[in-house]
Amino acid sequence: MSRALHSHGHGGVRTVAGMHAALVYSSDDEFLSLATPYIQEGLHADEQVLVVTTGTNIELLRDRLDDHAAGVDFIDSSVWYSSPANTLFAYDQYVHDQEQRTRPVRILGEPPWEDRSPLRRRAWQRYESLLNLAFADRDMSCVCPYDTRVVEPSVLASARRTHPTLITIDAEQPSTDYAEPAEFCAECDDTPLPAPPGPISEREFDAAALKSAREFVTWVADQAGLPSPRVSELVTAVNEITTNAVRHGGGRGRLRTWREDHCLVFEVDDSGRSRPDPLAGHLRPPADPHRSGGYGLWLARQLCDLVEVRDGPGWLVRLYAEVE
Amino acid sequence: MTSNMCKPVGSARAGDHCCLSFDSDAEQRDVVAAYVRDGLEQHDKVVYFAAGEPTTVLGFLAEGGIEPGPCLESGQLRVLSPLEGFFAHGAFDPDVMVSALRKMATEALDEGYHTFRATGEASAVRTWPCFERLLEYERKVDVVYADRNTVGLCQYDRRMFSAAELRAAEDAHSVHVGPDPIYRDSLLSITRTYDPPGLRIVGEIDSSRGHIWRDALAAEAEATGDDVHLDVSGLRFVDVGGARLLARTADELGRRRCRLLLHRISEEPRRLLRLTGWEQLPALVVEER
């Protein structure tokens, strides 16, 4: 990925194709003076401009851009950032649609960081790192604002590791802390998962028991009060993981389930395969139907609110579905 | 009669008076050949009342994997031309036909056959003398088939009867039969369809049934030089592997300018095809329920 290596005096962000930058601001004025020229430059160059941020920031920008605001796609961040996997895919599709029209894309995207559990926060940090892969070599740029008034220092620290470029009111410069996505994601996947807090139901499965594992998931999800379309999605997600265990993980595995933090959790672990690739199942594999494999974990990530993979004796996969 | 209300022909039992209404020669031949084959295998006496030349019937039985020669010689199988069968006594008469059948059944059982198994192409007697007499026969012959050692299959070519006639004829039968599934177990059944030509899938496809699904799709794609239609309204679950096989089949059909059409798909399989991007394949046509 090529990066903008440029320092600037006042206002403006120097962009090049493929740029992924963290924009660190501490006031509305700083936000506007950095974000506005970035957007204006895109409009001027006839790029497709997408702005996903808080309702407050959208109002500030609309006000400042005035008539030009009509040329910008504004989306409220509380709607857009549903789950890391869904958001990654939504950006991918958005850029893909514009690629069909050979139109460059310029994104200003600010994920919400407040009120996230440590598990969720890490998943969104990993997502920021994965954007570097998703956006590599594409005709686009992406700037992610971080509001120092609300985000914790640890979030800012990880932004420096997940963005090749850092923009502040003083300078635009390469991030010396930047870590390659494979390295950063591996670190995320090394963080231990909390022990299940409550009662656990569990069962063993093998190739002949995929159907009964699906019935088990259906029953548990029904009991948890999930609506029927959500139950079907979970059944599909868990079935892909149990299928992977049967095919690549020693032919059998264990399926466990419990409630944790407003979530229904399913955990699948198998007994025999090598350490998971930290990048597995994050980016959609090519649609070529003659390629085999690669889709199951990606699909599970799409269908659940969160999926975590850990290295155990085999693979250990936890799938989270929010329950209200 | 829609085909999903049919029993597979293989489940026809002594005592059944069955109706097959079909749209195409291919469907008729598959079902009737299976019916005759089942009879010959379990040592039934099989009598076929043809509407045309017996050689036509013998031809498609042979194509269906039955070697008619030895059975004809032994008398286990008889294929009667219209003049030997339906019109052996002049214009078709229900009472004469019923007593002839009863006699044949008695003789067959006396000869030591397991069951008397008859089948007839009803189009032969639609106009001579008239449809009302055919219907009268259907009602009267019930008594013959009610005998536990007798089974009958009446073949109605939908192209030869009006909708009202078909309805009346179907109502006169207690059992309606269609093709035997290509595959069936507790999880999944796959049955050939004829109009449009393709497969009807009922149940769940996961990796334990992947090879069956792959073989069925490959055989269907290979057998036709045309589009393949899948009735997936009864497909309750499919995993990524199963969906990938659909995409592969569509891609292969696309290479020879044919398509794979999925009819009446439900929400879950649809979502899978959308998310994976396979729905975008030009040769895959997805039609919602």
Side-chain angles (χ1 to χ4, degrees):
Chain A
M1 174 176 299
S2 44
R3 289 156 215 165
L5 311 177
H6 180 75
S7 118
H8 53 83
H10 52 278
V13 172
R14 189 80 175 177
T15 59
V16 291
M19 183 178 82
H20 181 214
L23 184 162
V24 182
Y25 67 98
S26 57
S27 68
D28 291 353
D29 282 345
E30 279 190 24
F31 175 74
L32 282 174
S33 67
L34 291 168
T36 313
Y38 171 67
I39 293 166
Q40 281 169 334
E41 201 180 289
L43 292 172
H44 198 71
D46 198 30
E47 295 178 6
Q48 178 70 33
V49 180
L50 170 64
V51 171
V52 190
T53 182
T54 62
T56 312
N57 281 349
I58 288 176
E59 281 318 301
L60 287 171
L61 284 170
R62 277 190 191 282
D63 208 40
R64 176 62 63 91
L65 290 165
D66 204 17
D67 287 350
H68 298 295
V72 177
D73 271 356
F74 285 106
I75 300 176
D76 195 291
S77 53
S78 62
V79 179
W80 180 259
Y81 293 101
S82 49
S83 81
N86 287 163
T87 306
L88 207 54
F89 186 41
Y91 270 131
D92 177 72
Q93 294 295 95
Y94 188 91
V95 174
H96 174 80
D97 287 348
Q98 299 306 321
E99 282 169 344
Q100 303 302 104
R101 304 160 57 192
T102 60
R103 195 160 187 221
V105 177
R106 181 173 292 234
I107 297 168
L108 186 84
E110 181 170 16
W113 294 100
E114 312 93 277
D115 306 325
R116 299 271 193 214
S117 67
L119 192 63
R120 296 302 175 104
R121 196 184 307 144
R122 192 166 51 245
W124 282 104
Q125 289 164 343
R126 178 172 50 205
Y127 146 92
E128 282 278 33
S129 183
L130 289 162
L131 282 182
N132 294 300
L133 294 178
F135 292 164
D137 306 320
R138 300 175 85 167
D139 196 3
M140 58 170 299
S141 62
C142 179
V143 167
C144 307
Y146 282 77
D147 185 347
T148 60
R149 293 169 297 184
V150 293
V151 301
E152 291 174 35
S154 66
V155 171
L156 282 178
S158 90
R160 284 192 286 274
R161 303 198 63 213
T162 56
H163 296 79
T165 305
L166 290 178
I167 298 164
T168 64
I169 197 68
D170 302 316
E172 175 177 335
Q173 58 197 15
S175 171
T176 48
D177 295 339
Y178 180 67
E180 290 300 328
E183 180 194 340
F184 187 85
C185 293
E187 275 174 37
C188 294
D189 291 357
D190 280 342
T191 321
L193 291 169
I200 299 170
S201 307
E202 85 170 64
R203 60 175 49 208
E204 309 282 321
F205 63 87
D206 59 16
L210 291 173
K211 158 83 173 165
S212 70
R214 290 198 296 276
E215 287 170 345
F216 176 64
V217 173
T218 304
W219 185 82
V220 171
D222 276 343
Q223 292 291 306
L226 288 171
S228 132
R230 192 69 186 132
V231 175
S232 306
E233 290 177 338
L234 273 182
V235 167
T236 294
V238 176
N239 182 76
E240 288 305 319
I241 305 303
T242 52
T243 301
N244 282 346
V246 164
R247 304 185 87 171
H248 312 296
R252 55 193 308 110
R254 182 183 60 168
L255 173 61
R256 304 201 297 167
T257 181
W258 63 86
R259 296 289 285 270
E260 175 183 328
D261 250 5
H262 310 292
C263 277
L264 179 61
V265 184
F266 289 96
E267 180 189 84
V268 177
D269 68 318
D270 59 50
S271 51
R273 51 183 161 158
S274 53
R275 186 181 164 81
D277 175 355
L279 300 176
H282 285 295
L283 302 182
R284 190 171 82 165
D288 177 6
H290 298 282
R291 259 179 61 111
S292 57
Y295 255 111
L297 183 56
W298 178 82
L299 195 82
R301 291 192 196 277
Q302 291 301 316
L303 296 175
C304 296
D305 291 299
L306 181 64
V307 173
E308 289 288 331
V309 182
R310 291 294 179 274
D311 190 20
W315 283 34
L316 182 143
V317 182
R318 279 192 193 170
L319 306 100
Y320 298 76
E322 279 170 15
V323 183
E324 267 332 304
Chain B
M1 172 79 16
T2 63
S3 45
N4 356 1
M5 295 165 71
C6 288
K7 296 205 306 184
V9 67
S11 66
R13 292 285 168 271
D16 288 345
H17 176 203
C18 307
C19 177
L20 162 70
S21 52
F22 58 92
D23 298 289
S24 68
D25 295 352
E27 179 174 13
Q28 176 204 15
R29 289 168 180 200
D30 280 356
V31 174
V32 174
Y35 177 79
V36 171
R37 191 186 316 116
D38 289 349
L40 296 178
E41 278 171 8
Q42 63 187 35
H43 198 58
D44 292 351
K45 168 96 175 186
V46 182
V47 180
Y48 194 121
F49 293 81
E53 286 299 319
T55 48
T56 310
V57 173
L58 295 171
F60 77 69
L61 290 180
E63 276 173 33
I66 298 160
E67 206 193 315
C71 320
L72 291 171
E73 220 159 276
S74 71
Q76 190 189 0
L77 171 66
R78 293 187 69 197
V79 182
L80 306 176
S81 71
L83 285 177
E84 296 166 318
F86 286 122
F87 308 129
H89 306 281
F92 181 73
D93 181 303
D95 295 312
V96 172
M97 183 72 185
V98 167
S99 63
L101 276 175
R102 206 191 287 277
K103 185 158 169 281
M104 284 181 182
T106 309
E107 281 170 5
L109 299 176
D110 286 350
E111 286 164 24
Y113 287 106
H114 179 265
T115 300
F116 176 68
R117 179 176 285 245
T119 183
E121 297 172 352
S123 49
V125 290
R126 182 176 167 264
T127 52
W128 198 40
C130 60
F131 178 73
E132 281 64 34
R133 303 252 38 209
L134 173 57
L135 211 54
E136 180 192 337
Y137 158 74
E138 291 287 18
R139 283 191 286 263
K140 286 179 169 167
V141 79
D142 249 359
V143 195
V144 178
Y145 293 126
D147 187 310
R148 66 189 166 81
N149 287 320
T150 310
V151 56
L153 173 66
C154 305
Q155 307 173 34
Y156 282 84
D157 186 338
R158 302 181 78 92
R159 297 165 296 190
M160 309 284 278
F161 293 86
S162 73
E165 287 170 346
L166 271 172
R167 212 163 25 247
E170 286 171 348
D171 285 349
H173 294 80
S174 53
V175 178
H176 300 94
V177 296
D180 284 334
I182 297 169
Y183 179 82
R184 182 167 57 168
D185 67 16
S186 60
L187 198 58
L188 174 68
S189 81
I190 303 173
T191 311
R192 177 153 292 131
T193 60
Y194 299 88
D195 184 27
L199 301 172
R200 181 170 56 251
I201 297 99
V202 176
E204 304 183 26
I205 297 170
D206 64 17
S207 74
S208 67
R209 302 295 183 278
H211 57 293
I212 289 149
W213 180 224
R214 184 193 60 218
D215 292 350
L217 282 174
E220 193 58 30
E222 203 173 296
T224 176
D226 208 338
D227 293 345
V228 172
H229 297 259
L230 301 184
D231 176 351
V232 289
S233 57
L235 178 62
R236 294 189 298 272
F237 177 85
V238 61
D239 69 357
V240 168
R244 182 187 287 111
L245 288 167
L246 283 173
R248 273 186 196 168
T249 306
D251 188 65
E252 277 152 18
L253 287 168
R255 284 162 207 258
R256 45 176 225 242
R257 300 187 179 283
C258 297
R259 299 173 302 166
L260 180 69
L261 295 95
L262 307 184
H263 297 286
R264 299 163 66 211
I265 194 165
S266 53
E267 186 45 38
E268 271 314 300
R270 177 89 201 249
R271 184 201 319 276
L272 210 55
L273 292 171
R274 198 167 38 225
L275 279 171
T276 52
W278 293 326
E279 200 188 45
Q280 304 291 323
L281 288 168
L284 187 68
V285 180
V286 180
E287 176 205 274
E288 238 157 299
R289 203 193 274 267

